[in-house]
Amino acid sequence: MRTAIMKGVGLLFIMVGCEAEAPAISREARAELAETAERADKALESASAGFEAPACRRSERVIYACDFGDRRVAVCATGNRLSYRFGDARRTDLEIDSRPGHVRAHTGGVVGGGGGRQEHIRFSNNGYHYIVHSMEAGSLTDIPGKRISGVTVVRGETGASPIVRSLNCPLAGPAQSMDQFNALPAETFAAETDETWDAWW
């Protein structure tokens, strides 16, 4: 046992000696290591996105979020990206990113009698359009001032194309106003040019 202890002490001295002789890492090398680690973190975040619930991350601004029963929709923004996410509480089934130079989001709206209005963001992907909309009922309706929001899915080239699915957010109130529509990241979206998309969804 004494022999084992002496061997351990000797090994400890060798390790200490090696550590003492290790060259110091230069400032440039440290910066390069930090940059490599940051790139790895971003790659990991991107690769695992499909295995996360469709929610906005801490570095993103929430434009819209609602749970439709066991399904969830989130619209999130950063400085150069606008994202639509759809899925359940465990994973994201669909994510559409709109960026400068690759715009896949369009905005529009309509105004009705009595001050009623509706705004929307339309995300396009492979012939399908996911329209996130928010409405404030006007004074001529039975629900003046009430805010209602939801998501409508359309398949086709115009707003007159068939509606595939329509989801109404079970929440109602100021949180559904999507005032963040007025602060979307620049160049990540374009205004509607086809008036058929400016409809009451």
Side-chain angles (χ1 to χ4, degrees):
M1 181 171 180
R2 181 177 180 181
T3 301
I5 293 174
M6 292 301 293
K7 286 183 178 179
V9 172
L11 180 60
L12 178 61
F13 278 120
I14 292 172
M15 293 174 64
V16 171
C18 290
E19 184 177 353
E21 294 173 4
I25 300 177
S26 67
R27 182 176 300 175
E28 292 76 9
R30 290 180 184 275
E32 185 176 350
L33 286 172
E35 184 178 349
T36 301
E38 184 178 355
R39 287 199 302 267
D41 288 341
K42 289 182 178 179
L44 180 61
E45 179 178 310
S46 176
S48 61
F51 299 98
E52 300 175 352
C56 298
R57 303 182 182 103
R58 285 180 296 178
S59 60
E60 297 175 322
R61 182 156 39 88
V62 179
I63 303 299
Y64 179 80
C66 186
D67 289 342
F68 301 86
D70 60 349
R71 313 299 283 174
R72 179 181 298 172
V73 168
V75 176
C76 314
T78 62
N80 63 351
R81 185 182 73 245
L82 186 62
S83 301
Y84 170 91
R85 298 182 186 131
F86 174 82
D88 57 27
R90 298 171 299 174
R91 62 172 292 138
T92 298
D93 295 323
L94 175 66
E95 180 167 358
I96 305 171
D97 289 337
S98 187
R99 304 171 181 268
H102 189 57
V103 174
R104 302 168 73 184
H106 291 77
T107 61
V110 290
V111 177
R117 62 188 178 92
Q118 185 185 76
E119 299 171 312
H120 74 259
I121 306 177
R122 174 174 60 91
F123 292 86
S124 302
N125 184 58
N126 294 329
Y128 285 86
H129 305 270
Y130 304 85
I131 305 165
V132 182
H133 51 83
S134 173
M135 180 191 81
E136 181 178 357
S139 61
L140 302 181
T141 68
D142 295 332
I143 49 172
K146 185 174 182 179
R147 298 185 185 273
I148 302 172
S149 71
V151 178
T152 300
V153 182
V154 173
R155 182 181 183 183
E157 298 302 321
T158 71
S161 301
I163 293 177
V164 176
R165 192 173 187 183
S166 184
L167 300 173
N168 294 318
C169 185
L171 301 177
Q176 302 307 306
S177 67
M178 288 194 295
D179 291 332
Q180 296 279 16
F181 271 28
N182 299 321
L184 300 180
E187 300 181 1
T188 62
F189 67 97
E192 297 284 14
T193 56
D194 181 350
E195 62 181 12
T196 63
W197 292 111
D198 287 327
W200 292 99
W201 300 106

